[in-house]
Amino acid sequence: MPAIKDWLADAVRQLSKVDIASSNLDAEIILANALVQDRTYLHAHPEQIIDTPQLELANVGLNQRLNRIPIAYITGYKEFYGRDFFVNSDVLIPRPESEDIITILKEILPTTDHQLIDVGTGSGCLGITAKLEFPNLDVTLSDISDEALAVAQQNAQDLSATVKIVKSDLLNSLQTKTDIIIANLPYVDQTWQRSPETDYEPKLALFANKNGQAIIEELIIQASKLLTPNGYLIIEADPTQHASLTDFAQKNTLEFKQKLGYIVAFKQHE
């Protein structure tokens, strides 16, 4: 049976051989997950022998990562805005850049109560985080995928967030006026270069036609009709799409408000 330091050294060697840049970090996460410990434990106990059940679990995780399965799908969780969210292959893995939606919310949201819809919620990371950061928000999570909504429901329960769960193709099933709409919708064009890990993520959550803008443009049209006066639409899109989407939004009663990284915020006219 290998010691912790020996398993890590061998895992890093194998991961590096298949050009995984985060080989050291990934090896530590996989082994820590198998041992049900944090990564600091590995450095504090390098000589500890790994027992058979834990070794088998670690080796399964390593083999999955060697096949480019994302580390979040191996461990079953991804941190977002300081909280751990359950994820599986039914939902897109939360990205750090999406946290800027919460940053913009903090800049624009008055202290009074508001309604917020998280469209294409996936794991629920955006809407649930919004609810936990702004307890007075009335938050609805919507998605077209039953499987994604099940994941969002589990995260809401695990994180004690009181939110509504609605199955909807964009805003089609939502008729009540709302103050804020947030969304990280598919915006990747099939021809774009991307990492092998994205092959394991749901295509429904990744790809869109029209240079990746088709679904966002559809949401803009719907949002312009559902937002209250001075309401906000905050979306994630590739920075190369921002100018085109801003022009499209302005033709649909939404004026550009601000952007931050991948995130663009629009405001409904009064």
Side-chain angles (χ1 to χ4, degrees), residues 8-264:
L8 287 174
D10 183 59
V12 168
R13 179 187 60 78
Q14 293 187 60
L15 292 168
S16 298
K17 194 173 180 179
V18 296
D19 298 322
I20 293 179
S22 54
S23 57
N24 284 283
L25 176 61
D26 288 1
E28 290 183 2
I29 290 174
I30 290 167
L31 184 55
N33 187 62
L35 297 177
V36 197
Q37 300 285 350
D38 58 32
R39 288 167 49 219
T40 57
Y41 181 90
L42 307 180
H43 300 285
H45 303 84
E47 304 291 342
Q48 178 180 313
I49 301 300
I50 306 169
D51 66 29
T52 299
Q54 294 169 327
L55 178 62
E56 290 176 351
L57 186 58
N59 287 339
V60 167
L62 176 60
N63 287 330
Q64 289 175 321
R65 191 68 188 103
L66 289 169
N67 285 307
R68 305 307 287 260
I69 294 177
I71 195 75
Y73 290 158
I74 296 171
T75 62
Y77 73 91
K78 177 69 176 179
E79 183 181 323
F80 185 83
Y81 218 80
R83 301 177 179 92
D84 286 341
F85 283 80
F86 164 66
V87 294
N88 61 23
S89 58
D90 292 320
V91 298
L92 194 72
I93 298 168
R95 267 66 166 177
E97 54 265 28
S98 301
E99 294 183 353
D100 285 341
I101 287 182
I102 307 301
T103 300
I104 290 180
L105 269 180
K106 289 189 171 182
E107 293 174 1
I108 66 174
L109 195 65
T111 55
T112 52
D113 297 349
H114 287 281
Q115 295 79 41
L116 178 146
I117 301 172
D118 176 15
V119 181
T121 191
S123 66
C125 64
L126 284 171
I128 291 170
T129 299
K131 178 63 180 179
L132 295 174
E133 294 295 314
F134 307 95
N136 290 334
L137 271 180
D138 181 359
V139 174
T140 298
L141 311 182
S142 76
D143 205 291
I144 194 173
S145 165
D146 289 319
E147 292 80 10
L149 289 174
V151 173
Q153 181 70 61
Q154 179 172 335
N155 281 319
Q157 291 173 349
D158 291 347
L159 294 168
S160 300
T162 303
V163 296
K164 300 182 185 72
I165 305 284
V166 176
K167 183 176 182 179
S168 180
D169 182 0
L170 297 181
L171 296 170
N172 287 334
S173 300
L174 299 159
Q175 306 301 325
T176 305
K177 289 277 187 176
T178 190
D179 302 304
I180 304 163
I181 296 168
I182 61 175
N184 179 12
L185 296 176
Y187 60 80
V188 177
D189 187 89
Q190 289 273 11
T191 64
W192 290 2
Q193 220 174 10
R194 52 194 175 84
S195 70
E197 281 78 3
T198 59
D199 288 338
Y200 292 94
E201 295 188 274
K203 292 179 173 55
L204 186 68
L206 274 176
F207 300 115
N209 295 326
K210 199 178 177 183
N211 193 38
Q213 297 181 192
I215 299 175
I216 293 176
E217 289 184 359
E218 187 177 349
L219 176 65
I220 288 172
I221 293 170
Q222 295 181 7
S224 68
K225 300 171 183 175
L226 201 65
L227 280 171
T228 55
N230 293 320
Y232 283 90
L233 169 64
I234 310 173
I235 61 171
E236 179 172 333
D238 190 85
T240 62
Q241 301 166 329
H242 287 182
S244 175
L245 290 172
T246 296
D247 289 341
F248 189 87
Q250 288 172 341
K251 294 173 183 175
N252 287 274
T253 75
L254 298 173
E255 59 180 273
F256 170 78
K257 180 65 177 177
Q258 69 181 100
K259 65 180 179 179
L260 180 63
Y262 279 68
I263 314 304
V264 184

